[in-house]
Amino acid sequence: MSEPTKILLDESEMPRRWYNVLADLPSPPPPVLHPGTLQPIGPDDLAPLFPMELILQEVATDRWIDIPDEVLDVYRLWRPSPLFRAHRLEKALGTPAKIFYKYEGVSPAGSHKPNTAVPQAYYNAAAGIRRLTTETGAGQWGTALAFACSQYGLDCEVWQVRASYDQKPYRKIMIETFGGVIHPSPSDLTAAGLAVLEKDPRSPGSLGIAISEAVEVAAQNPDTNYALGSVLNHVLLHQTVIGEEAIAQFAKVGLTPDVIVGCTGGGSNFGGLAFPFLREKLAGRMDVTIRAVEPASCPSLTKGVYAYDFGDTAGMTPLMKMHTLGHDFIPDPIHAGGLRYHGMSPLISHVYELGLIEAVSKTQRECFEAGVRFARTEGIVPAPEPTHALAACVDEALRCKETGEEKVILTALCGHGHLDLAAYGAYLAGDLVDHELSDSDVASSVAALPKVPA
């Protein structure tokens, strides 16, 4: 084996700055609009929900933003995370390709989410906020924020999408162990939740609905702010520690990736891995294909429309131009709950529109097949979300088997699946059903998009 199985960085090599891809894009993304005036929003419009430091990061165009020492101190609990060479998976596939995965399941919450939860909690605590509200799908983000709040003495209140809340009971216990309070969404605690329950008392919920509930509570309480686990620029910014570390780790073995594959729901894991490599590609220092992978039942990039839409179901957020299936869209309750969001990050949507990345979709049975294969070769049970990327990695590796190409493939294994074993049980029992969104489904779901003049 010419490359080691595990490539590590010393703690002293941990990134001390976040990378902002906005500084290097050939054109800026469309502005975020006020839903009432349809004019670009300013910092004051976001102040009821976010501390000023995060608002400034949201609109920043600086290439680098320093990571506070207080955040680095917590990052050191798990960062730098390891980069693994998947020798055993390669052997099982019979491929000449070299498959690497950046493993984020080593964090206290078991996923990549603390990379942004920790700085968000830090900046809110520094601003005098006492409580954070949020949504969560599969529960990884809610777990991460509860952990981060415990580090800075904040209360944490989480609305979890009902389908995932019922599927993953141990997420609730983990969030409560970290000190958080959790509710299934839609709930009867908010006007937004009650409105959904009035229409459908058995609603499986969606991330858009859960966002509406968390935003509603935050907006009504001056000591409370809202924290988002994906989609927004500052969230993707914080996640770039993943890609920055990976670049340094590849340099240790004298390699560069030919293909980067990441799962995408709201976009934070994908952007965190891909954006630093995109910088290198735009500068002519790397020739790399970057591929986003999403669920066939919630395919915002591959089947959604690029339009202004609300980030939540109740229409309480500003309007963002993104690839969307419509803010009223309620996805099929697949087991990859973290990817069940109606829209894609505006920044990733813009990068996709510029032709700088590719996108494909996968059905859940194909994904779990890849997840089981990975577990049986590499010894890690992946969360359902990164199995989408693993399925696409397998596709690429098998293409290399046919062509004889020795491509270097990189993916982000963004979390372990230890609290998702019920989903694996359903797959192993043959009970999972694939669901692909049809063109007519999309046409119906986007019919109620806000009317924004071109």
Side-chain angles (χ1 to χ4, degrees):
M1 293 185 286
S2 57
E3 284 82 39
T5 296
K6 182 164 56 177
I7 305 169
L8 300 175
L9 296 177
D10 187 81
E11 198 173 278
S12 65
E13 299 174 281
M14 187 168 64
R16 305 188 72 86
R17 300 181 298 178
W18 294 303
Y19 167 63
N20 183 7
V21 75
L22 279 169
D24 294 314
L25 294 179
S27 64
V32 177
L33 302 182
H34 189 285
T37 65
L38 300 184
Q39 295 300 307
I41 63 170
D44 290 345
D45 295 311
L46 298 175
L49 296 179
F50 303 109
M52 190 52 64
E53 284 296 324
L54 290 180
I55 294 172
L56 293 175
Q57 289 179 10
E58 183 67 21
V59 299
T61 55
D62 303 307
R63 182 172 287 106
W64 301 102
I65 293 178
D66 290 337
I67 304 174
D69 288 341
E70 296 87 345
V71 171
L72 290 170
D73 286 343
V74 182
Y75 273 2
R76 288 188 182 95
L77 290 173
W78 74 96
R79 304 223 69 87
S81 67
L83 177 70
F84 287 100
R85 170 87 183 271
H87 288 288
R88 290 166 181 79
L89 178 61
E90 295 167 13
K91 183 178 179 180
L93 295 173
T95 179
K98 300 175 180 180
I99 303 172
F100 291 83
Y101 58 97
K102 181 74 166 154
Y103 185 41
E104 293 295 301
V106 295
S107 80
S111 76
H112 69 294
K113 293 293 188 178
N115 296 331
T116 184
V118 170
Q120 287 193 53
Y122 164 73
Y123 287 121
N124 276 284
I129 293 299
R130 300 185 62 182
R131 175 176 62 157
L132 289 179
T133 65
T134 196
E135 78 296 327
T136 196
Q140 289 183 341
W141 168 242
T143 303
L145 190 65
F147 156 73
C149 286
S150 73
Q151 299 300 301
Y152 298 106
L154 298 177
D155 294 332
C156 179
E157 191 166 7
V158 180
W159 275 262
Q160 183 174 18
V161 175
R162 165 63 78 174
S164 292
Y165 182 91
D166 292 339
Q167 289 169 352
K168 308 174 195 295
Y170 291 107
R171 277 291 173 197
K172 174 179 183 291
I173 296 171
M174 194 168 182
I175 288 170
E176 290 175 339
T177 300
F178 280 133
V181 175
I182 182 169
H183 316 289
S185 173
S187 75
D188 59 4
L189 302 173
T190 67
L194 286 168
V196 174
L197 291 173
E198 186 176 337
K199 293 180 181 178
D200 180 7
R202 301 181 65 185
S203 170
S206 70
L207 281 167
I209 295 168
I211 291 171
S212 294
E213 296 202 81
V215 168
E216 179 181 322
V217 172
Q220 292 173 351
N221 295 275
D223 67 347
T224 303
N225 270 355
Y226 167 70
L228 186 63
S230 193
V231 179
L232 296 181
N233 293 0
H234 69 268
V235 181
L236 275 64
L237 173 82
H238 300 155
Q239 292 291 355
T240 57
V241 292
I242 302 173
E244 291 298 328
E245 288 181 4
I247 287 174
Q249 286 162 316
F250 272 109
K252 284 181 177 286
V253 293
L255 292 175
T256 56
D258 298 299
V259 181
I260 293 174
V261 184
C263 65
T264 46
S268 68
N269 156 72
F270 176 79
L273 175 69
F275 282 172
F277 287 95
L278 180 57
R279 175 191 67 234
E280 300 302 299
K281 179 177 182 177
L282 290 170
R285 294 187 287 266
M286 286 186 187
D287 182 15
V288 59
T289 298
I290 302 174
R291 186 171 299 135
V293 191
E294 60 186 5
S297 62
C298 195
S300 57
L301 274 177
T302 53
K303 285 196 174 182
V305 299
Y306 187 49
Y308 274 102
D309 197 7
F310 293 104
D312 72 313
T313 299
M316 301 174 69
T317 68
L319 295 173
M320 300 175 286
K321 194 163 190 182
M322 58 186 177
H323 285 265
T324 179
L325 298 167
H327 60 278
D328 290 331
F329 177 69
I330 297 181
D332 189 68
I334 59 170
H335 282 283
L339 305 184
R340 294 177 69 249
Y341 184 58
H342 67 269
M344 182 55 60
S345 157
L347 194 48
I348 287 177
S349 295
H350 178 61
V351 169
Y352 183 61
E353 286 295 305
L354 291 174
L356 299 175
I357 62 172
E358 302 175 356
V360 297
S361 65
K362 293 288 181 184
T363 57
Q364 65 177 354
R365 283 190 291 189
E366 181 183 1
C367 295
F368 275 94
E369 178 185 3
V372 169
R373 176 180 281 174
F374 188 85
R376 292 176 180 176
T377 53
E378 294 299 312
I380 297 173
V381 179
E385 290 78 15
T387 63
H388 292 69
L390 290 173
C393 282
V394 169
D395 287 347
E396 188 68 35
L398 292 178
R399 280 192 290 269
C400 289
K401 182 179 181 179
E402 293 178 359
T403 64
E405 295 174 282
E406 297 183 3
K407 287 184 178 180
V408 177
I409 305 169
L410 169 65
T411 190
L413 188 61
C414 59
H416 65 65
H418 298 171
L419 299 184
D420 303 289
L421 294 180
Y424 280 90
Y427 168 75
L428 294 169
D431 293 336
L432 285 191
V433 176
D434 287 334
H435 176 259
E436 295 189 56
L437 206 63
S438 69
D439 291 339
S440 60
D441 290 334
V442 175
S444 174
S445 68
V446 301
L449 285 176
K451 305 301 181 188
V452 178

